[in-house]
Amino acid sequence: MEDRFKSEAHVPVRYRPYADPHDWQKLTEDSTNQLQTTMGQTMTTPCDAEIGQTEEELTNCIHDLFLNNEYIEWRKALRSFSAGEWHLLTASLENRNTPTTAFLEFGEGIHSKLVFSHIEAPDHIESQMLMLQFTVSGSMWHCVVWHCPEAN
C-alpha cells in the first residue's frame, strides 16, 4: 500500500468509516465539484448549489403540506398513522386523495424514500401538538414540523 493511503487524512471524508455524518460541508468539499475522468470522458458531480437547491425545494414542499388547503384531509388524518413508525409520504398522500405531483417531480430516487413519522409533543395534553419528522432514507436531509391537527 502506498504511503499516501496509510494516513486517514488522505482519505476523502465520505470513505472514512467514522467521519462525522453531520459535517456536510467537508463531504461536499471533498466529493463535489470535482472532475472525474472515465474512459476519456470528463464528468462533473452535482455542485453544492444544486444539492442545496434540491434540499431547499424539498423543505418548501414539506412546508406546503401544512400551509396549502389541498392537503387539509391529509393533515386531519395524521393521527390515523401509527405514532413512532415511518410512513411513505407519497403513499399516505395518495390514500387521502391529495396531490403528490410536487413530490413525484423530485424523481424516484427521492420520492420513493421520502418518509415521515410523528410523536406527541411533551406538552400534548395542553397543546395537542404533534412533532412530525420527514427524511429521505439514506440521506442527511430532514425536516421537523410542529403541528396541531385540531387547528387546521
Side-chain angles (χ1 to χ4, degrees):
M1 184 182 292
E2 294 180 27
D3 288 339
R4 65 185 177 128
F5 293 112
K6 288 183 181 176
S7 170
E8 183 178 88
H10 295 287
V11 179
V13 172
R14 67 178 170 182
Y15 298 116
R16 291 183 196 162
Y18 300 106
D20 182 0
H22 300 289
D23 197 349
W24 182 251
Q25 185 62 38
K26 282 184 187 175
L27 177 65
T28 55
E29 285 175 3
D30 287 349
S31 64
T32 308
N33 293 330
Q34 297 175 357
L35 296 177
Q36 301 173 339
T37 304
T38 306
M39 298 194 303
Q41 296 179 339
T42 301
M43 301 183 314
T44 58
T45 57
C47 67
D48 290 343
E50 290 172 350
I51 293 169
Q53 181 179 356
T54 299
E55 290 176 348
E56 184 178 339
E57 289 172 358
L58 191 53
T59 300
N60 289 339
C61 284
I62 295 300
H63 290 167
D64 287 346
L65 288 172
F66 300 93
L67 298 173
N68 296 349
N69 287 337
E70 58 196 8
Y71 299 108
I72 199 162
E73 293 304 318
W74 179 82
R75 292 193 304 262
K76 287 180 180 178
L78 282 172
R79 293 191 192 280
S80 69
F81 299 104
S82 301
E85 294 182 17
W86 292 103
H87 307 277
L88 187 61
L89 180 61
T90 51
S92 71
L93 292 170
E94 286 174 354
N95 289 342
R96 301 293 178 220
N97 296 317
T98 53
T100 59
T101 306
F103 297 100
L104 297 177
E105 288 176 352
F106 286 100
E108 178 131 6
I110 292 179
H111 80 75
S112 66
K113 297 177 183 178
L114 180 55
V115 294
F116 75 96
S117 179
H118 72 84
I119 60 171
E120 293 179 345
D123 66 342
H124 177 74
I125 293 171
E126 297 88 26
S127 71
Q128 299 298 302
M129 297 286 279
L130 297 177
M131 183 190 77
L132 289 100
Q133 181 176 356
F134 298 84
T135 190
V136 175
S137 299
S139 80
M140 295 302 299
W141 178 86
H142 68 280
C143 181
V144 174
V145 176
W146 292 91
H147 177 66
C148 180
E150 286 76 21
N152 276 313

